[in-house]
Structure formats: C-alpha cells, structure tokens
Coordinates of all heavy atoms in Angstrom, one line a residue:
M30 N 94.7 88.3 -63.4 CA 95.2 89.7 -63.3 C 95.9 90.0 -64.5 O 96.9 89.3 -64.8 CB 95.9 90.0 -62.0 CG 96.0 91.4 -61.6 SD 96.9 91.6 -60.1 CE 95.6 92.3 -59.1
Q31 N 95.7 91.1 -65.1 CA 96.5 91.5 -66.3 C 97.8 92.0 -65.9 O 98.1 92.5 -64.8 CB 95.8 92.6 -67.1 CG 94.4 92.1 -67.7 CD 93.8 93.2 -68.4 OE1 94.4 94.4 -68.5 NE2 92.7 93.0 -69.0
L32 N 98.8 91.9 -66.8 CA 100.2 92.3 -66.6 C 100.3 93.7 -66.2 O 101.1 94.0 -65.2 CB 101.1 91.8 -67.8 CG 102.6 92.0 -67.5 CD1 103.0 91.1 -66.5 CD2 103.2 91.6 -68.9
F33 N 99.6 94.5 -66.9 CA 99.8 96.0 -66.6 C 99.2 96.3 -65.3 O 99.8 97.1 -64.5 CB 98.9 96.8 -67.6 CG 99.0 98.3 -67.5 CD1 100.1 98.9 -67.8 CD2 98.0 99.0 -66.9 CE1 100.3 100.3 -67.5 CE2 98.0 100.3 -66.7 CZ 99.1 101.0 -67.0
S34 N 98.1 95.7 -64.8 CA 97.6 95.8 -63.5 C 98.6 95.4 -62.4 O 98.7 96.0 -61.3 CB 96.3 95.0 -63.3 OG 95.3 95.6 -64.2
I35 N 99.3 94.3 -62.6 CA 100.2 93.8 -61.7 C 101.4 94.9 -61.5 O 101.8 95.2 -60.4 CB 100.9 92.5 -62.2 CG1 99.8 91.4 -62.1 CG2 102.1 92.1 -61.4 CD1 100.2 90.0 -62.7
F36 N 101.8 95.4 -62.6 CA 102.9 96.4 -62.5 C 102.4 97.7 -61.9 O 103.2 98.3 -61.1 CB 103.6 96.7 -63.9 CG 104.4 95.6 -64.4 CD1 104.3 95.0 -65.6 CD2 105.5 95.1 -63.7 CE1 105.0 93.9 -66.0 CE2 106.3 94.1 -64.1 CZ 106.1 93.5 -65.3
A37 N 101.2 98.1 -62.2 CA 100.6 99.3 -61.7 C 100.5 99.3 -60.1 O 100.8 100.1 -59.5 CB 99.2 99.7 -62.3
V38 N 100.0 98.1 -59.6 CA 99.8 97.9 -58.3 C 101.1 97.9 -57.5 O 101.4 98.4 -56.5 CB 98.9 96.8 -57.9 CG1 98.9 96.4 -56.4 CG2 97.5 96.9 -58.4
Y39 N 102.2 97.1 -58.2 CA 103.4 97.0 -57.6 C 104.1 98.4 -57.5 O 104.7 98.7 -56.5 CB 104.3 96.0 -58.3 CG 105.7 95.9 -57.7 CD1 105.9 95.2 -56.5 CD2 106.8 96.6 -58.3 CE1 107.1 95.2 -55.9 CE2 108.0 96.4 -57.7 CZ 108.1 95.7 -56.5 OH 109.4 95.6 -55.9
F40 N 103.9 99.2 -58.4 CA 104.6 100.6 -58.5 C 104.0 101.4 -57.4 O 104.7 102.1 -56.8 CB 104.3 101.2 -59.9 CG 104.9 102.6 -59.9 CD1 106.2 102.8 -60.0 CD2 104.1 103.7 -59.9 CE1 106.8 104.0 -60.0 CE2 104.6 105.0 -59.8 CZ 105.9 105.2 -60.0
I41 N 102.7 101.3 -57.2 CA 102.1 102.1 -56.1 C 102.5 101.6 -54.8 O 102.9 102.4 -53.9 CB 100.5 102.1 -56.3 CG1 100.0 102.7 -57.5 CG2 99.9 102.6 -55.0 CD1 98.6 102.5 -57.8
V42 N 102.6 100.4 -54.6 CA 103.2 99.9 -53.3 C 104.6 100.3 -53.1 O 105.0 100.6 -52.1 CB 103.0 98.3 -53.2 CG1 103.8 97.7 -52.1 CG2 101.5 97.9 -53.2
W43 N 105.4 100.2 -54.3 CA 106.8 100.5 -54.1 C 107.0 102.0 -53.8 O 107.8 102.4 -53.0 CB 107.5 100.2 -55.4 CG 109.0 100.4 -55.4 CD1 109.9 99.4 -55.1 CD2 109.7 101.6 -55.7 NE1 111.2 99.9 -55.2 CE2 111.1 101.3 -55.5 CE3 109.4 102.9 -56.0 CZ2 112.1 102.1 -55.7 CZ3 110.4 103.7 -56.2 CH2 111.7 103.4 -56.1
W44 N 106.2 102.9 -54.4 CA 106.3 104.3 -54.2 C 105.9 104.7 -52.7 O 106.7 105.5 -52.1 CB 105.3 105.0 -55.1 CG 105.6 106.5 -55.3 CD1 104.8 107.5 -54.8 CD2 106.7 107.2 -55.9 NE1 105.4 108.7 -54.9 CE2 106.6 108.5 -55.7 CE3 107.8 106.6 -56.6 CZ2 107.5 109.4 -56.1 CZ3 108.7 107.7 -57.0 CH2 108.6 108.9 -56.8
I45 N 104.9 104.0 -52.2 CA 104.5 104.3 -50.8 C 105.6 103.8 -49.9 O 106.0 104.4 -48.8 CB 103.1 103.7 -50.5 CG1 102.0 104.5 -51.3 CG2 102.7 103.7 -49.0 CD1 100.6 103.8 -51.3
T46 N 106.1 102.6 -50.2 CA 107.2 102.1 -49.3 C 108.5 102.9 -49.4 O 109.1 103.0 -48.3 CB 107.5 100.6 -49.8 OG1 106.3 99.8 -49.9 CG2 108.5 99.9 -48.9
L47 N 108.7 103.5 -50.4 CA 109.9 104.3 -50.6 C 109.9 105.4 -49.5 O 110.9 105.7 -48.8 CB 110.0 104.9 -52.0 CG 111.0 106.0 -52.2 CD1 112.5 105.4 -52.0 CD2 111.0 106.6 -53.5
F48 N 108.7 106.1 -49.4 CA 108.6 107.2 -48.5 C 108.6 106.7 -47.0 O 108.9 107.5 -46.1 CB 107.4 108.1 -48.7 CG 107.5 108.9 -50.0 CD1 106.9 108.5 -51.1 CD2 108.4 110.0 -50.0 CE1 107.0 109.3 -52.4 CE2 108.6 110.7 -51.1 CZ 107.9 110.4 -52.3
A49 N 108.3 105.5 -46.8 CA 108.4 104.9 -45.4 C 109.9 104.5 -45.1 O 110.3 104.6 -43.9 CB 107.4 103.7 -45.3
I50 N 110.6 104.1 -46.1 CA 112.0 103.7 -45.9 C 113.0 104.8 -45.9 O 114.1 104.7 -45.3 CB 112.3 102.6 -47.1 CG1 111.4 101.4 -47.0 CG2 113.8 102.3 -47.1 CD1 111.7 100.6 -45.9
L51 N 112.7 105.9 -46.6 CA 113.7 107.1 -46.6 C 114.3 107.5 -45.3 O 115.5 107.7 -45.3 CB 113.0 108.2 -47.5 CG 113.2 108.2 -49.0 CD1 112.4 109.3 -49.6 CD2 114.6 108.2 -49.4
P52 N 113.5 107.7 -44.3 CA 114.2 108.3 -43.1 C 114.9 107.3 -42.3 O 115.6 107.6 -41.3 CB 113.0 108.8 -42.3 CG 111.8 108.1 -42.8 CD 112.1 107.8 -44.2
I53 N 114.9 105.9 -42.6 CA 115.5 104.9 -41.8 C 117.0 105.1 -42.1 O 117.5 105.0 -43.2 CB 115.1 103.5 -42.3 CG1 113.6 103.3 -41.9 CG2 115.9 102.4 -41.6 CD1 113.0 102.0 -42.4
G54 N 117.8 105.2 -41.0 CA 119.2 105.4 -41.0 C 119.8 106.7 -41.6 O 121.0 106.8 -41.8
L55 N 118.9 107.6 -41.6 CA 119.4 108.9 -42.2 C 120.1 109.8 -41.1 O 119.6 109.8 -40.0 CB 118.1 109.7 -42.7 CG 118.4 111.1 -43.3 CD1 119.0 110.9 -44.6 CD2 117.1 111.8 -43.5
R56 N 121.2 110.3 -41.4 CA 121.9 111.1 -40.5 C 122.0 112.5 -41.1 O 122.3 112.7 -42.3 CB 123.3 110.7 -40.4 CG 123.6 109.4 -39.8 CD 123.8 109.2 -38.4 NE 124.6 110.2 -37.8 CZ 124.6 110.6 -36.6 NH1 123.7 110.1 -35.8 NH2 125.5 111.5 -36.1
T57 N 121.5 113.6 -40.3 CA 121.5 114.9 -40.9 C 122.8 115.6 -40.6 O 123.6 115.1 -39.8 CB 120.3 115.7 -40.2 OG1 120.5 115.7 -38.8 CG2 119.0 115.0 -40.4
Q58 N 122.9 116.7 -41.3 CA 124.2 117.5 -41.1 C 124.2 118.1 -39.6 O 125.3 118.2 -39.1 CB 124.3 118.7 -42.1 CG 124.4 118.1 -43.5 CD 124.5 119.4 -44.5 OE1 124.6 120.4 -44.1 NE2 124.5 119.0 -45.7
A59 N 123.1 118.4 -39.0 CA 123.1 118.9 -37.7 C 123.5 117.8 -36.7 O 124.2 118.0 -35.7 CB 121.6 119.4 -37.3
E60 N 123.1 116.6 -37.0 CA 123.5 115.4 -36.0 C 125.1 115.2 -36.1 O 125.6 114.8 -35.1 CB 122.7 114.2 -36.4 CG 121.3 114.2 -36.1 CD 120.6 113.0 -36.6 OE1 121.0 112.3 -37.5 OE2 119.5 112.8 -36.1
D61 N 125.6 115.4 -37.3 CA 127.0 115.2 -37.5 C 127.9 116.5 -37.2 O 129.1 116.4 -37.3 CB 127.3 114.8 -38.9 CG 126.9 113.3 -39.1 OD1 126.6 112.6 -38.1 OD2 126.8 112.9 -40.3
D62 N 127.3 117.5 -36.8 CA 127.9 118.8 -36.5 C 128.7 119.3 -37.7 O 129.9 119.8 -37.4 CB 128.6 118.7 -35.3 CG 127.8 118.6 -34.0 OD1 126.7 119.1 -34.1 OD2 128.3 117.9 -33.1
H63 N 128.3 119.0 -38.9 CA 129.1 119.6 -40.1 C 128.1 120.0 -41.1 O 127.6 119.3 -42.0 CB 129.8 118.4 -40.6 CG 130.6 118.8 -41.8 ND1 131.7 119.6 -41.8 CD2 130.4 118.5 -43.2 CE1 132.1 119.8 -43.1 NE2 131.4 119.1 -43.9
V64 N 127.6 121.3 -40.9 CA 126.6 121.9 -41.8 C 127.4 122.7 -42.9 O 128.2 123.6 -42.6 CB 125.7 122.9 -41.0 CG1 124.7 123.5 -42.0 CG2 125.0 122.2 -39.9
V65 N 127.1 122.2 -44.1 CA 127.7 122.9 -45.3 C 127.0 124.2 -45.5 O 125.8 124.3 -45.5 CB 127.6 121.9 -46.5 CG1 128.2 122.7 -47.8 CG2 128.2 120.7 -46.4
P66 N 127.8 125.3 -45.7 CA 127.2 126.6 -46.0 C 126.3 126.6 -47.1 O 126.7 126.1 -48.1 CB 128.5 127.6 -46.1 CG 129.5 126.9 -45.4 CD 129.3 125.4 -45.6
G67 N 125.2 127.2 -47.0 CA 124.1 127.2 -48.1 C 123.2 126.1 -48.0 O 122.3 126.0 -48.9
T68 N 123.3 125.2 -47.1 CA 122.3 124.2 -47.0 C 121.6 124.2 -45.7 O 122.1 124.8 -44.7 CB 123.0 122.7 -47.1 OG1 123.9 122.6 -46.0 CG2 123.7 122.6 -48.4
V69 N 120.5 123.5 -45.5 CA 119.7 123.5 -44.3 C 120.4 122.4 -43.4 O 121.0 121.4 -43.8 CB 118.2 123.2 -44.5 CG1 117.6 124.3 -45.3 CG2 118.1 121.9 -45.3
E70 N 120.1 122.6 -42.1 CA 120.7 121.7 -41.1 C 120.1 120.3 -41.2 O 120.7 119.3 -40.9 CB 120.5 122.2 -39.7 CG 121.3 123.4 -39.4 CD 121.0 123.9 -37.9 OE1 120.0 123.4 -37.3 OE2 121.6 124.7 -37.5
S71 N 118.9 120.2 -41.7 CA 118.2 118.8 -41.9 C 118.6 118.1 -43.1 O 118.0 117.0 -43.3 CB 116.7 119.1 -41.8 OG 116.3 119.9 -42.9
A72 N 119.5 118.6 -43.9 CA 120.0 117.9 -45.2 C 120.7 116.7 -44.8 O 121.5 116.7 -43.8 CB 120.8 118.8 -46.0
P73 N 120.6 115.6 -45.5 CA 121.4 114.4 -45.1 C 122.9 114.6 -45.3 O 123.3 115.3 -46.3 CB 120.8 113.3 -46.1 CG 120.2 114.1 -47.2 CD 119.7 115.4 -46.6
T74 N 123.6 114.0 -44.5 CA 125.0 114.0 -44.7 C 125.6 113.2 -45.7 O 126.3 113.6 -46.7 CB 125.8 113.5 -43.3 OG1 125.3 114.3 -42.2 CG2 127.2 113.7 -43.4
R75 N 125.2 111.9 -45.7 CA 125.5 110.9 -46.7 C 124.3 110.1 -47.1 O 123.8 109.3 -46.4 CB 126.5 109.9 -46.3 CG 127.9 110.5 -46.0 CD 128.9 109.6 -45.5 NE 128.5 108.8 -44.3 CZ 128.6 109.2 -43.0 NH1 129.1 110.4 -42.9 NH2 128.1 108.5 -42.1
F76 N 123.8 110.4 -48.4 CA 122.6 109.7 -48.7 C 123.0 108.4 -49.5 O 123.7 108.6 -50.5 CB 121.7 110.6 -49.7 CG 120.5 109.9 -50.2 CD1 119.5 109.6 -49.4 CD2 120.4 109.6 -51.5 CE1 118.4 108.9 -49.8 CE2 119.2 109.0 -52.1 CZ 118.2 108.6 -51.2
Q77 N 122.5 107.3 -49.0 CA 122.9 106.1 -49.6 C 121.7 105.5 -50.5 O 120.8 104.7 -50.0 CB 123.1 105.0 -48.5 CG 124.3 105.5 -47.7 CD 124.5 104.5 -46.4 OE1 123.6 103.8 -46.2 NE2 125.6 104.7 -45.8
A78 N 121.7 106.0 -51.7 CA 120.5 105.7 -52.6 C 120.5 104.2 -53.0 O 119.3 103.6 -53.0 CB 120.7 106.5 -53.9
K79 N 121.6 103.5 -53.1 CA 121.5 102.1 -53.4 C 120.9 101.3 -52.3 O 120.1 100.4 -52.6 CB 122.9 101.6 -53.7 CG 123.4 102.0 -55.0 CD 124.8 101.4 -55.3 CE 125.4 101.9 -56.5 NZ 126.7 101.4 -56.8
K80 N 121.2 101.7 -51.1 CA 120.7 101.0 -49.9 C 119.2 101.2 -49.8 O 118.5 100.2 -49.6 CB 121.5 101.4 -48.7 CG 120.9 100.7 -47.4 CD 121.6 101.4 -46.2 CE 121.1 100.9 -44.9 NZ 121.8 101.5 -43.7
V81 N 118.8 102.4 -50.0 CA 117.4 102.7 -49.9 C 116.5 102.0 -51.0 O 115.5 101.6 -50.7 CB 117.2 104.3 -49.9 CG1 115.7 104.8 -50.0 CG2 117.8 105.0 -48.6
L82 N 117.0 102.1 -52.2 CA 116.3 101.5 -53.3 C 116.2 99.9 -53.2 O 115.1 99.4 -53.4 CB 116.9 101.9 -54.6 CG 116.9 103.3 -55.0 CD1 117.6 103.6 -56.3 CD2 115.5 103.8 -55.1
L83 N 117.3 99.4 -52.7 CA 117.3 97.9 -52.5 C 116.4 97.6 -51.4 O 115.5 96.6 -51.5 CB 118.7 97.5 -52.2 CG 118.9 95.9 -51.9 CD1 118.4 95.1 -53.2 CD2 120.2 95.6 -51.5
L84 N 116.4 98.2 -50.3 CA 115.5 97.9 -49.2 C 114.0 98.2 -49.5 O 113.1 97.4 -49.2 CB 115.9 98.9 -48.0 CG 115.2 98.4 -46.6 CD1 115.4 97.0 -46.2 CD2 115.7 99.4 -45.5
T85 N 113.8 99.2 -50.3 CA 112.5 99.5 -50.7 C 111.9 98.4 -51.6 O 110.8 98.0 -51.5 CB 112.4 100.9 -51.5 OG1 112.8 101.9 -50.6 CG2 111.0 101.2 -52.0
T86 N 112.8 98.0 -52.5 CA 112.3 96.9 -53.4 C 112.1 95.6 -52.7 O 111.0 95.0 -53.0 CB 113.4 96.7 -54.6 OG1 113.6 98.0 -55.2 CG2 113.0 95.6 -55.5
L87 N 112.9 95.3 -51.7 CA 112.7 94.1 -51.0 C 111.4 94.2 -50.1 O 110.5 93.2 -50.1 CB 113.8 93.7 -50.1 CG 115.2 93.4 -50.8 CD1 116.3 93.2 -49.8 CD2 114.9 92.0 -51.6
V88 N 111.2 95.2 -49.4 CA 110.0 95.4 -48.6 C 108.8 95.3 -49.5 O 107.7 94.8 -49.1 CB 110.1 96.6 -47.6 CG1 108.9 96.9 -46.9 CG2 111.3 96.4 -46.7
S89 N 108.8 96.2 -50.5 CA 107.6 96.2 -51.3 C 107.3 94.9 -52.0 O 106.1 94.6 -52.2 CB 107.7 97.3 -52.4 OG 108.7 97.1 -53.2
A90 N 108.3 94.1 -52.3 CA 108.1 92.8 -53.0 C 107.4 91.9 -51.9 O 106.5 91.2 -52.3 CB 109.4 92.2 -53.4
V91 N 107.8 91.9 -50.7 CA 107.2 91.1 -49.7 C 105.7 91.5 -49.4 O 104.8 90.7 -49.3 CB 107.9 91.2 -48.3 CG1 107.2 90.5 -47.2 CG2 109.3 90.5 -48.5
L92 N 105.5 92.9 -49.3 CA 104.1 93.4 -49.2 C 103.2 93.0 -50.4 O 102.1 92.6 -50.2 CB 104.1 94.9 -48.9 CG 104.8 95.5 -47.6 CD1 104.8 97.0 -47.7 CD2 103.9 95.0 -46.5
Y93 N 103.7 93.2 -51.6 CA 102.9 92.9 -52.8 C 102.7 91.4 -52.8 O 101.6 91.0 -53.2 CB 103.7 93.4 -54.0 CG 102.8 93.1 -55.2 CD1 101.8 94.0 -55.6 CD2 103.2 92.0 -56.1 CE1 101.0 93.6 -56.7 CE2 102.4 91.8 -57.2 CZ 101.3 92.5 -57.5 OH 100.6 92.3 -58.6
G94 N 103.7 90.6 -52.6 CA 103.6 89.1 -52.6 C 102.5 88.7 -51.6 O 101.7 87.8 -51.9
T95 N 102.5 89.3 -50.5 CA 101.5 88.9 -49.5 C 100.0 89.3 -49.9 O 99.1 88.5 -49.8 CB 101.8 89.6 -48.1 OG1 103.1 89.2 -47.7 CG2 100.7 89.3 -47.0
W96 N 100.0 90.5 -50.4 CA 98.7 91.0 -51.0 C 98.2 90.1 -52.2 O 97.1 89.7 -52.2 CB 98.8 92.4 -51.5 CG 97.5 92.9 -52.2 CD1 96.4 93.2 -51.7 CD2 97.4 92.9 -53.6 NE1 95.4 93.6 -52.7 CE2 96.1 93.4 -53.9 CE3 98.2 92.6 -54.7 CZ2 95.5 93.5 -55.1 CZ3 97.6 92.8 -55.9 CH2 96.4 93.2 -56.2
Y97 N 99.1 89.7 -53.1 CA 98.8 88.9 -54.2 C 98.3 87.5 -53.7 O 97.4 87.0 -54.3 CB 100.0 88.8 -55.2 CG 99.6 88.1 -56.5 CD1 99.1 88.9 -57.5 CD2 99.9 86.9 -56.7 CE1 98.8 88.4 -58.7 CE2 99.6 86.2 -57.9 CZ 99.0 87.0 -58.9 OH 98.7 86.5 -60.1
L98 N 99.0 87.0 -52.8 CA 98.7 85.6 -52.3 C 97.3 85.6 -51.6 O 96.5 84.8 -51.9 CB 99.7 85.2 -51.3 CG 99.4 83.9 -50.5 CD1 99.7 82.7 -51.5 CD2 100.3 83.8 -49.3
C99 N 97.1 86.7 -50.8 CA 95.7 86.8 -50.2 C 94.7 87.1 -51.1 O 93.5 86.5 -51.0 CB 95.7 87.9 -49.1 SG 96.8 87.5 -47.7
S100 N 94.8 87.8 -52.2 CA 93.8 88.2 -53.1 C 93.5 87.1 -54.1 O 92.4 86.8 -54.3 CB 94.0 89.5 -53.7 OG 95.1 89.5 -54.5
V101 N 94.5 86.6 -54.6 CA 94.3 85.6 -55.8 C 94.1 84.2 -55.3 O 93.2 83.5 -55.8 CB 95.5 85.7 -56.8 CG1 95.4 84.6 -57.8 CG2 95.6 87.1 -57.4
Y102 N 95.0 83.7 -54.4 CA 94.9 82.4 -54.0 C 94.0 82.1 -52.8 O 93.3 81.0 -52.7 CB 96.3 81.8 -53.7 CG 97.2 81.8 -54.9 CD1 98.3 82.6 -55.1 CD2 96.9 80.8 -55.9 CE1 99.0 82.6 -56.2 CE2 97.7 80.7 -57.1 CZ 98.7 81.6 -57.2 OH 99.5 81.5 -58.3
L103 N 93.8 83.1 -51.9 CA 93.0 82.8 -50.8 C 91.6 83.5 -50.9 O 90.7 83.2 -50.1 CB 93.7 83.4 -49.5 CG 95.1 82.7 -49.2 CD1 95.6 83.3 -47.9 CD2 94.9 81.2 -48.9
G104 N 91.5 84.3 -51.9 CA 90.2 84.8 -52.2 C 89.8 86.1 -51.4 O 88.6 86.5 -51.4
F105 N 90.6 86.6 -50.7 CA 90.3 87.8 -49.9 C 90.3 89.1 -50.8 O 91.1 89.2 -51.7 CB 91.3 88.1 -48.8 CG 91.3 87.1 -47.7 CD1 92.2 86.1 -47.5 CD2 90.2 86.9 -46.9 CE1 92.3 85.2 -46.5 CE2 90.1 86.0 -45.9 CZ 91.1 85.0 -45.7
G106 N 89.4 90.0 -50.5 CA 89.3 91.2 -51.4 C 88.7 92.3 -50.4 O 88.6 92.1 -49.3
L107 N 88.3 93.5 -51.2 CA 87.7 94.5 -50.4 C 86.4 94.1 -49.8 O 85.9 94.6 -48.9 CB 87.6 95.7 -51.3 CG 89.0 96.4 -51.7 CD1 88.7 97.6 -52.6 CD2 89.7 96.8 -50.5
D108 N 85.7 93.2 -50.5 CA 84.4 92.7 -50.0 C 84.5 92.0 -48.7 O 83.5 91.8 -48.0 CB 83.7 91.9 -51.1 CG 83.3 92.8 -52.3 OD1 83.1 94.0 -52.2 OD2 83.2 92.2 -53.4
S109 N 85.7 91.4 -48.4 CA 85.9 90.5 -47.2 C 86.1 91.4 -46.1 O 86.0 90.9 -45.0 CB 87.2 89.7 -47.5 OG 87.0 88.9 -48.5
L110 N 86.4 92.7 -46.2 CA 86.5 93.6 -45.0 C 85.1 93.9 -44.4 O 84.2 94.0 -45.1 CB 87.2 94.9 -45.4 CG 88.6 94.8 -46.0 CD1 89.1 96.1 -46.5 CD2 89.5 94.2 -45.0
P111 N 85.1 93.9 -43.1 CA 83.8 94.2 -42.4 C 83.4 95.7 -42.8 O 84.1 96.5 -42.8 CB 84.1 94.0 -40.9 CG 85.5 94.2 -40.8 CD 86.1 93.7 -42.1
R112 N 82.0 95.9 -42.8 CA 81.5 97.2 -43.1 C 81.2 97.9 -41.7 O 80.5 97.3 -40.8 CB 80.2 97.2 -43.8 CG 80.4 96.6 -45.3 CD 79.2 96.7 -46.0 NE 78.8 98.1 -46.2 CZ 78.8 98.8 -47.4 NH1 79.1 98.1 -48.4 NH2 78.5 100.0 -47.4
F113 N 81.6 99.0 -41.5 CA 81.4 99.8 -40.2 C 80.3 100.9 -40.4 O 79.9 101.5 -39.5 CB 82.7 100.4 -39.8 CG 83.7 99.5 -39.4 CD1 84.8 99.2 -40.1 CD2 83.6 98.7 -38.2 CE1 85.8 98.3 -39.8 CE2 84.5 97.8 -37.8 CZ 85.6 97.6 -38.6
V114 N 79.9 101.2 -41.7 CA 78.8 102.1 -42.0 C 77.6 101.3 -42.4 O 77.7 100.3 -43.0 CB 79.3 103.1 -43.0 CG1 80.3 103.9 -42.6 CG2 79.7 102.4 -44.4
P115 N 76.4 101.8 -42.1 CA 75.2 101.2 -42.5 C 75.0 101.1 -44.1 O 75.5 102.0 -44.8 CB 74.1 101.9 -41.8 CG 74.7 103.2 -41.5 CD 76.2 103.1 -41.3
K116 N 74.5 100.0 -44.6 CA 74.2 100.0 -46.0 C 72.7 100.5 -46.2 O 71.7 100.0 -45.7 CB 74.4 98.5 -46.4 CG 74.2 98.4 -47.9 CD 74.6 97.0 -48.3 CE 74.5 96.7 -49.8 NZ 74.8 95.3 -50.1
F117 N 72.6 101.5 -47.1 CA 71.3 102.1 -47.4 C 70.9 101.6 -48.8 O 71.6 101.7 -49.7 CB 71.4 103.6 -47.4 CG 71.8 104.2 -46.1 CD1 73.0 104.7 -45.8 CD2 70.8 104.2 -45.0 CE1 73.3 105.2 -44.6 CE2 71.1 104.7 -43.8 CZ 72.3 105.3 -43.6
D118 N 69.7 100.9 -48.9 CA 69.3 100.4 -50.1 C 68.3 101.4 -50.8 O 67.5 102.1 -50.2 CB 68.7 99.1 -49.9 CG 69.7 98.0 -49.7 OD1 70.8 98.1 -50.2 OD2 69.5 97.1 -48.9

C-alpha cells in the first residue's frame, strides 16, 4: 500500500470517528442551568478539545490498525464479503 493511500484512509477513518466521539461526555448549557445570553441552550458548557482529539486519535488508530491487519496480513477485502444481490453477466 502506498504511503499516500495509508494517510488518506486513516484521515477518513479519523474524520468519521471524530463525529462519533464528539457527543461523548458533552454537557450542554441547558443541563448545567447556565445559558449565556445570545447562545442556544444546546451549546456546550466546557468543550474539551484535547480530550476529544486524543480519544479520536486512539480509537481511529485501533480501527485503522484492525482494518490494515485484516486487509494486508489476513487477506480480507471487499471481495470477501458475501453478495446479497444477484450477479448479472
């Protein structure tokens, strides 16, 4: 696998994981009963960017490592998945 492809796939996995990790541990202003005037109630009270980025990096590294292990060393790929639609020749 080329180096650019490795970084491209990792970036896609990281980006998708970021949106899955963002709501974890989030406290809104409505939950804390402290809504700042001019903001919506669903705005976060304290956004912990370092924690989110670190957790995203760790989870995406595990996911990417598992995918890389399965695809390169074990030989699994998209062709290994079962087909649920008929193949028309």
Side-chain angles (χ1 to χ4, degrees):
M30 193 179 244
Q31 294 180 359
L32 189 60
F33 181 75
S34 297
I35 291 172
F36 287 124
V38 172
Y39 180 75
F40 177 74
I41 292 169
V42 171
W43 188 90
W44 193 254
I45 293 171
T46 306
L47 173 66
F48 288 107
I50 298 291
L51 271 175
I53 295 175
L55 181 71
R56 300 265 319 157
T57 63
Q58 293 179 10
E60 291 173 339
D61 287 342
D62 292 328
H63 180 69
V64 180
V65 177
T68 63
V69 294
E70 294 179 348
S71 60
T74 304
R75 291 179 307 275
F76 179 66
Q77 301 172 346
K79 289 181 183 179
K80 179 181 172 185
V81 169
L82 294 176
L83 179 65
L84 188 59
T85 300
T86 303
L87 291 173
V88 170
S89 62
V91 169
L92 290 173
Y93 181 78
T95 303
W96 172 80
Y97 190 81
L98 175 76
C99 289
S100 66
V101 172
Y102 292 109
L103 300 178
F105 293 111
L107 293 177
D108 295 333
S109 301
L110 298 174
R112 293 186 67 114
F113 294 106
V114 294
K116 187 175 181 180
F117 298 106
D118 290 324

